[in-house]
Amino acid sequence: MFALDIYEINLIPAGRAFDGVRSTALTGRSRGNTQGISALIRQLKAELRQREVTHPQSIFLHADRDGNDVVRVCSRSDLQFDTATPVLMLDATADAKLIDCFFDQDIDLKRIDIKQNAIITQVYDRTGSNTFWQEASAPIEQLITVLNTWAEFGEKPLCIGNKSLIERLQDHPNISPHVVLMNFVGLRGSNAAEECSVVFITGRNEPPPIEVDHKSRALFWDDDIPLQHDEFGNNQNLPLELRGFLTSERFEGGSQGVETRAFSDSRIESVHQQMREAESIQAIARLRLVHNKQRKRVFILSNVPLEVPIDQLVKFDDLMPDRLEYEFLKAGNIPLTPLGLIKLRPDLAKNENQAKMLLRNSIIRNASRLKGIHSLQRKGLIIVEFKAKNNGRTRTHQNLFMMDEEVKSIVEGDNSLKIAVSKVPIADWTALLENGWGAIEGTHFFYA
């Protein structure tokens, strides 16, 4: 047995002279081993200088993919500039806990809240994990149908997902050429999807828990309070944590939440959120929603709550435009009362109960949400209110119409006004209504 002073250990690169003896040239493999041992010694010295430790945070044995034990060294990369250099960081998903790991001085963090011009819908009944989309039972055909349907409406849909899913969609014979496909890594910093009008965040970018744990060890190994590590080997899952959804003023209903997998240690969970939630937020930003003039649509196909206000929570199976919305986009008009559906669209509802149910479950009742469809923002939506007789009784009814021509914008000073440059086809709309109702009276027109 002998004592070894680790502070006296130095590995000399090939070609360097040491005490008059030239070192032996390293092979490729031994060079890599030497670099690894150098990193190990450097990190071990750092831990010993920081405090007395019996169980180092950043150096540990870990089984590789072949089951062999390897020494894992987790360390931070050095900054490429002096830490005293004034630095301005602009990051939509910055986390002070993580930034503090790299700087000695205090960080002055400013939060700037912005309003994104979008209607955001999120599913609540799917985890949307990478594993889910890789399974044979994954609803690929249903996803393609949803994407193609939006493309048929004249929209330019963007689908973002993990690399294997996007490659699978690219190779699928049924995917529309008008659908834009991007993976999470490829979209970072890109403006290629700026012209897209609707985005589907398909799943989420979530690495294995062990990878998150390793990055956290590198960042927080020198904290005064040691990291608390969860057990997630042998098919064990991370603990469940109840989180609430951030909702907008348009959201109908009370507070909503869902259980999601999270690390017990808040510092490790901060790293986790940067790799999972923050990637989805960055994906949404590809639509450039802050300064866009037209309101766009965002669909989040994962139930993990994000730091963005959502307008609607739906089941995955309800992602398709509902029946009345679909028929309105095809025909350009739709009745807004049960009796109107029976008279003008008997193919949709043959009795009052069917008609009431269709209207109750349809977004068609809320024209402001309908205008979230990019193509409808370029056209005028007009509600025609009128009186008509049925079985001897006169009642007020409404019908929604879509203008044939696009709405134009006029800019006067700092104000942007939208006006319809073509005449409202009152005669054509009246004839259509009277074909089903008979004579109508007291007609009024409202811009929806």
Side-chain angles (χ1 to χ4, degrees):
M1 180 178 293
F2 63 93
L4 178 66
D5 187 348
I6 194 171
Y7 294 106
E8 295 299 323
I9 298 177
N10 285 292
L11 295 180
I12 307 302
R16 288 276 187 91
F18 181 72
D19 289 341
V21 179
R22 185 173 180 81
S23 61
T24 303
L26 300 171
T27 64
R29 181 170 180 178
S30 62
R31 184 184 297 275
N33 289 339
T34 302
Q35 291 173 345
I37 294 172
S38 296
L40 168 63
I41 294 173
R42 184 171 58 251
Q43 187 64 22
L44 188 54
K45 287 179 180 179
E47 286 218 28
L48 290 173
R49 280 195 299 266
Q50 181 73 16
R51 61 174 183 268
E52 290 188 6
V53 292
T54 55
H55 299 287
Q57 284 285 320
S58 61
I59 303 170
F60 56 98
L61 280 177
H62 172 67
D64 62 15
R65 293 180 180 179
D66 298 325
N68 301 316
D69 283 338
V70 297
V71 176
R72 180 72 64 179
V73 181
C74 301
S75 60
R76 294 190 290 266
S77 299
D78 294 330
L79 294 174
Q80 300 302 309
F81 52 85
D82 188 273
T83 56
T85 303
V87 178
L88 173 64
M89 300 179 63
L90 301 175
D91 193 329
T93 55
D95 189 312
K97 286 196 196 78
L98 307 182
I99 298 174
D100 283 341
C101 294
F102 294 92
F103 296 92
D104 297 330
Q105 64 269 37
D106 292 335
I107 303 298
D108 184 16
L109 188 65
K110 300 291 186 182
R111 180 185 176 96
I112 303 175
D113 290 322
I114 58 173
K115 187 175 181 63
Q116 302 195 91
N117 193 14
I119 290 180
I120 300 178
T121 300
Q122 185 165 5
V123 302
Y124 63 84
D125 63 339
R126 291 285 199 281
T127 61
S129 65
N130 291 347
T131 303
F132 168 78
W133 286 104
Q134 289 170 359
E135 294 173 351
S137 58
I140 300 295
E141 295 293 342
Q142 186 176 354
L143 174 62
I144 290 174
T145 300
V146 172
L147 295 171
N148 289 351
T149 300
W150 279 91
E152 290 172 6
F153 291 161
E155 304 298 320
K156 188 175 181 180
L158 164 67
C159 180
I160 296 172
N162 65 74
K163 185 177 180 181
S164 61
L165 172 62
I166 295 303
E167 289 176 348
R168 190 173 174 184
L169 291 174
Q170 289 172 335
D171 295 336
H172 202 285
N174 296 334
I175 193 73
S176 169
H178 301 292
V179 175
V180 180
L181 301 169
M182 300 179 72
N183 65 63
F184 280 106
V185 176
L187 64 85
R188 293 174 186 167
S190 171
N191 287 325
E194 186 175 4
E195 299 302 319
C196 292
S197 55
V198 56
V199 60
F200 289 82
I201 311 299
T202 311
R204 57 182 190 252
N205 185 57
E206 183 165 11
I210 190 66
E211 183 178 331
V212 180
D213 184 83
H214 289 171
K215 291 182 182 297
S216 303
R217 289 174 184 266
L219 291 172
F220 299 106
W221 67 267
D222 54 354
D223 273 15
D224 293 333
I225 301 175
L227 291 169
Q228 303 301 309
H229 302 282
D230 292 296
E231 296 291 336
F232 41 75
N234 299 322
N235 295 321
Q236 288 178 282
N237 290 317
L238 292 172
L240 285 170
E241 180 179 281
L242 180 62
R243 291 185 185 173
F245 291 99
L246 182 63
T247 56
S248 72
E249 68 277 3
R250 292 188 290 263
F251 186 84
E252 296 179 358
S255 300
Q256 302 288 334
V258 67
E259 288 187 324
T260 186
R261 299 289 177 185
F263 286 86
S264 301
D265 193 300
S266 63
R267 294 163 294 181
I268 304 179
E269 181 56 24
S270 293
V271 177
H272 190 210
Q273 291 186 27
Q274 281 293 305
M275 302 174 75
R276 184 176 66 179
E277 283 88 330
E279 284 285 359
S280 292
I281 294 173
Q282 291 287 348
I284 294 171
R286 294 313 99 201
L287 287 183
R288 302 306 186 204
L289 299 173
V290 178
H291 299 296
N292 60 296
K293 296 179 181 180
Q294 310 293 345
R295 183 178 295 171
K296 299 183 180 183
R297 289 293 294 267
V298 175
F299 293 93
I300 305 170
L301 309 190
S302 166
N303 63 1
V304 174
L306 305 177
E307 197 178 348
V308 291
I310 61 170
D311 302 297
Q312 189 180 24
L313 281 171
V314 300
K315 292 182 178 179
F316 183 86
D317 291 339
D318 295 336
L319 283 175
M320 285 287 290
D322 64 65
R323 183 71 186 278
L324 293 187
E325 184 181 7
Y326 184 75
E327 293 297 332
F328 170 69
L329 290 167
K330 285 201 306 181
N333 73 89
I334 200 75
L336 298 180
T337 60
L339 188 56
L341 280 175
I342 295 171
K343 284 185 170 293
L344 296 177
R345 294 301 303 268
D347 57 315
L348 301 178
K350 294 181 171 57
N351 56 58
E352 189 175 5
N353 287 337
Q354 288 181 358
K356 286 182 176 179
M357 184 170 293
L358 277 174
L359 286 166
R360 183 169 58 248
N361 297 330
S362 177
I363 198 175
I364 207 78
R365 298 173 302 139
N366 191 330
S368 65
R369 286 191 177 181
L370 261 181
K371 287 188 287 187
I373 301 176
H374 190 53
S375 58
L376 293 185
Q377 296 177 47
R378 300 191 299 267
K379 298 177 182 292
L381 297 183
I382 306 293
I383 295 176
V384 178
E385 188 174 272
F386 59 94
K387 293 182 179 181
K389 286 185 178 181
N390 183 63
N391 294 330
R393 299 179 63 181
T394 300
R395 291 184 177 178
T396 300
H397 298 274
Q398 291 184 338
N399 209 97
L400 181 65
F401 286 91
M402 183 194 310
M403 295 283 289
D404 291 333
E405 296 190 19
E406 292 187 6
V407 173
K408 304 297 182 182
S409 294
I410 292 182
V411 179
E412 295 183 359
D414 295 330
N415 298 318
S416 177
L417 305 174
K418 289 185 176 180
I419 64 170
V421 296
S422 61
K423 293 182 178 179
V424 177
I426 296 176
D428 294 339
W429 290 355
T430 300
L432 186 148
L433 294 172
E434 289 185 338
N435 186 51
W437 285 100
I440 62 174
E441 57 187 28
T443 304
H444 298 281
F445 297 84
F446 305 96
Y447 185 74

